[in-house]
Amino acid sequence: MTTSTIVLIGIDLIAALLLSLGIYYRRHRRRDLVVAFLGVNVGVLAVASVLGTAEVALGLGLGLFGVLSIIRLRSSEISQREVAYYFAALAIGLICGLPQSTPWFAGTLVVLILVVMWGADHPALFARSRHQIVDVDRAITDEDALRAELEQRLECTVTSLTVQRLDLVNDTTTVDVRFRRDAVRRAPRRSPGRTFADAPAAESLAVR
């Protein structure tokens, strides 16, 4: 094992820990996917290192990359965000596992992946954008009326909606809606039967 290989392995392990623990876990708190990201990363690193030292065709390596990239565990559904983290962990392991890679070039690519994932998944980016599947207790066939109904109920601005199911028998509508929260802070609710004008009197009565 050469010094360059050791450096690449060190870069990969540091990058995998930063990706899974430093970025993903701090923001999303899913321990099971941290294990999955680290396992995929180290596994691809090991396989890529073996393929790089053996007499194998390039097509076999590309085929392995394709097979690994489409693995999905059916026991738990993951979002597109987590798919992106899977690809990032896989790519980092593959870049660092190829012995032909030079440490500085591989390190540059790894840093680029980490920076992109950190920025693209930052909570401040599109902070007010939301996505939900909403069941409306009315069968609404008119899109403008449905949009107005959703904006009233969700107290938001609907940017896009797709009707997934329109049930005229049970009078319901299932909508895939994307919306933006308006930056309006509502006044806190007051307790019934009491106003702010009543507060001083109540306090003085308590003192007496």
Side-chain angles (χ1 to χ4, degrees):
M1 184 177 292
T2 63
T3 303
S4 178
T5 303
I6 297 175
V7 172
L8 288 173
I9 293 175
I11 292 175
D12 175 79
L13 294 178
I14 293 173
L17 290 173
L18 286 175
L19 179 71
S20 58
L21 295 176
I23 300 177
Y24 179 79
Y25 185 75
R26 288 186 61 186
R27 293 177 180 174
H28 306 291
R29 302 293 177 179
R30 285 196 60 176
R31 180 179 177 275
D32 55 337
L33 287 180
V34 171
V35 177
F37 297 149
L38 292 176
V40 166
N41 175 265
V42 176
V44 171
L45 173 71
V47 173
S49 301
V50 173
L51 291 178
T53 57
E55 294 295 331
V56 294
L58 180 61
L60 179 59
L62 293 176
L64 176 64
F65 182 86
V67 170
L68 290 173
S69 66
I70 62 175
I71 290 177
R72 291 284 302 273
L73 297 180
R74 299 299 178 182
S75 58
S76 177
E77 183 180 356
I78 62 175
S79 65
Q80 295 301 318
R81 178 191 291 112
E82 275 114 22
V83 171
Y85 277 97
Y86 264 114
F87 271 103
L90 192 153
I92 290 173
L94 188 62
I95 290 171
C96 296
L98 295 176
Q100 293 83 4
S101 302
T102 56
W104 68 268
F105 182 65
T108 301
L109 294 178
V110 168
V111 170
L112 176 62
I113 293 174
L114 292 176
V115 170
V116 169
M117 293 301 298
W118 177 85
D121 191 35
H122 198 279
L125 186 65
F126 308 118
R128 287 187 286 171
S129 297
R130 299 290 188 273
H131 172 219
Q132 286 184 359
I133 305 296
V134 180
D135 289 323
V136 182
D137 56 353
R138 289 172 53 199
I140 306 176
T141 57
D142 183 75
E143 183 174 324
D144 293 334
L146 179 60
R147 183 185 298 270
E149 180 76 13
L150 290 170
E151 288 183 346
Q152 179 183 2
R153 295 198 179 193
L154 298 177
E155 298 180 350
C156 67
T157 300
V158 175
T159 57
S160 175
L161 62 88
T162 302
V163 177
Q164 293 188 337
R165 187 168 182 268
L166 183 63
D167 193 339
L168 298 175
V169 176
N170 297 318
D171 197 22
T172 59
T173 307
T174 302
V175 191
D176 184 338
V177 57
R178 300 174 190 275
F179 57 93
R180 184 179 65 254
R181 286 289 186 188
D182 297 326
V184 176
R185 181 175 296 178
R186 293 178 297 174
R189 294 182 177 179
R190 303 174 183 177
S191 59
R194 178 180 178 184
T195 63
F196 287 112
D198 299 330
E203 291 177 356
S204 60
L205 181 61
V207 172
R208 291 178 186 177

